[in-house]
Amino acid sequence: MKDFWVIDGHCDSILDFLEGKRSLTAPQEGGHWDIQRAKEGKVILQFMAAFIESQYKPEKGTLRGLELIHALHRFIQANTENVVLIRQKKDLADLHPSKVGCLLSIEGGEILGNSLFLLDIIYELGVRALGLTWNQRNAIADGAGEMTQSTLTQFGEKVIQRMNELGMLIDVSHLNEAGFWHVLKLSTEPILASHSCAYALCPHPRNLNDEQLKALAHNGGVVGVNFYPGFLTQEPKASLYDVVRHIQYIAELAGVDVIGLGSDFDGIDDTPAGLEGADKYGDLAEALHHAGFSGKEIEKIMYKNFMRLLSTVLK
């Protein structure tokens, strides 16, 4: 059960690299994710999120986003024997845990300001997924932290259309609920909630309610179950089994085909016991087996559902 490949839809590790805290090569440097642990965990593809911190918004959002993109390229250039940037659909055929694939994602549409041409520029720089908002409002839409029912702006509608044309993954984690439904109505491609959990089990504004989860499944999209304890449980501590609990709930509600993993490693200050780093995915697969999931179902959850989504959306 520990031999399943893994695609992880979200980690924030590149920020540590940019700030010189870690080289992201070995676990003794700290953190949750590095090349060594990713290989041990059989991670074939890691979504590397470029998170634009609040102090850079709005005026310096573009500059900070470009710094993070440049940092990921430097990380890949420094580790060409072990990591590779995934840009196109054809690159997916070569994925294997001997060389970790990295898919560049932006967490927060602030990188665009209100200029659509910047979407094409970051696409040329290798970005293949965009989280439309973080928790705040931007020129695209309102984040989940705003607690509003505003839909996408006219600019946001243009962003969705252009992302569909380019072949970019639209990430609705952090988006408010009205924005979620607006995206689902507009997008001609399946969408992604890269790091969210089930609201019914933990009523946090960042989690997805039952109707959203079922709609995402009907859309052919994927929700990457988040490892952040605050999204998993209202108890003081979380464990690997809380992740399994959310996976079980979503599977029973909306089907196995909608479920992926979105750890949020290095973007969270605590992890569930048993999932302390990227080397622990095998233990999650084992726990899913003991919870009654079949080998084929576990394979879908660990990587195949994400692979289907990427094969559909990427050009």
Side-chain angles (χ1 to χ4, degrees):
M1 283 297 120
K2 295 194 175 186
D3 290 332
F4 289 103
W5 291 357
V6 173
I7 294 177
D8 181 353
H10 191 92
C11 82
D12 289 284
S13 311
I14 200 63
L15 190 59
D16 281 356
F17 182 85
L18 172 61
E19 295 180 346
K21 295 178 180 178
R22 295 191 293 140
S23 68
L24 304 185
T25 57
Q28 57 264 33
E29 296 177 327
H32 306 140
W33 191 98
D34 53 68
I35 295 170
Q36 182 178 326
R37 279 181 284 183
K39 285 189 171 186
E40 290 175 10
K42 299 190 181 301
V43 177
I44 60 169
L45 178 58
Q46 178 66 59
F47 282 56
M48 302 294 282
F51 171 56
I52 301 168
E53 309 102 296
S54 296
Q55 64 264 34
Y56 295 98
K57 302 172 186 177
E59 292 84 2
K60 297 181 180 179
T62 301
L63 178 60
R64 185 59 169 178
L66 292 174
E67 282 185 310
L68 286 155
I69 293 170
H70 184 239
L72 181 62
H73 282 286
R74 288 192 291 111
F75 167 68
I76 291 170
Q77 289 164 5
N79 298 281
T80 52
E81 294 183 0
N82 293 301
V83 295
V84 61
L85 184 65
I86 301 302
R87 290 176 178 264
Q88 296 175 283
K89 186 184 301 187
K90 65 180 181 64
D91 298 333
L92 301 175
D94 297 325
L95 289 174
H96 189 273
S98 61
K99 197 169 187 176
V100 182
C102 292
L103 188 139
L104 181 49
S105 174
I106 304 295
E107 188 171 13
E110 288 82 6
I111 192 170
L112 304 180
N114 56 8
S115 300
L116 192 64
F117 77 90
L118 283 170
L119 188 62
D120 285 70
I121 289 176
I122 64 172
Y123 180 86
E124 290 298 323
L125 293 174
V127 176
R128 292 297 179 268
L130 174 67
L132 301 178
T133 68
W134 192 59
N135 289 334
Q136 306 115 337
R137 174 180 295 124
N138 61 25
I140 296 172
D142 283 7
E146 296 291 342
M147 305 297 287
T148 67
Q149 285 302 311
S150 300
T151 56
L152 301 184
T153 65
Q154 289 184 336
F155 175 66
E157 292 179 346
K158 293 176 183 177
V159 169
I160 298 304
Q161 180 182 0
R162 186 58 182 151
M163 289 181 73
N164 283 161
E165 292 168 353
L166 289 170
M168 294 179 70
L169 289 164
I170 299 166
D171 186 355
V172 296
S173 280
H174 285 286
L175 186 63
N176 71 344
E177 185 179 350
F180 172 94
W181 293 113
H182 198 176
V183 171
L184 213 59
K185 179 181 178 181
L186 292 175
S187 180
T188 58
E189 298 289 347
I191 65 174
L192 167 66
S194 65
H195 56 307
S196 298
C197 296
Y199 186 90
L201 297 186
C202 184
H204 191 286
R206 272 277 288 104
N207 287 338
L208 301 178
N209 63 41
D210 287 0
E211 295 308 310
Q212 288 176 296
L213 290 167
K214 288 188 286 187
L216 197 61
H218 182 73
N219 167 264
V222 171
V223 54
V225 173
N226 195 318
F227 296 175
Y228 177 51
F231 297 163
L232 293 168
T233 179
Q234 293 178 290
E235 299 299 320
K237 295 288 184 179
S239 76
L240 176 155
Y241 297 100
D242 288 299
V243 176
V244 173
R245 188 169 63 103
H246 278 258
I247 290 172
Q248 285 179 304
Y249 181 85
I250 296 169
E252 292 170 5
L253 175 78
V256 168
D257 289 351
V258 75
I259 307 168
L261 303 176
S263 68
D264 212 354
F265 279 149
D266 293 317
I268 54 181
D269 52 16
D270 192 17
T271 62
L275 284 173
E276 293 83 5
D279 54 328
K280 301 293 186 180
Y281 286 112
D283 294 332
L284 176 57
E286 191 75 25
L288 289 170
H289 171 67
H290 288 303
F293 288 91
S294 69
K296 286 185 177 180
E297 289 174 329
I298 297 170
E299 194 175 43
K300 286 182 176 183
I301 293 164
M302 301 301 278
Y303 86 97
K304 277 200 168 179
N305 288 336
F306 257 118
M307 189 72 83
R308 183 199 72 241
L309 178 64
L310 289 162
S311 298
T312 302
V313 176
L314 294 186
K315 299 295 188 183

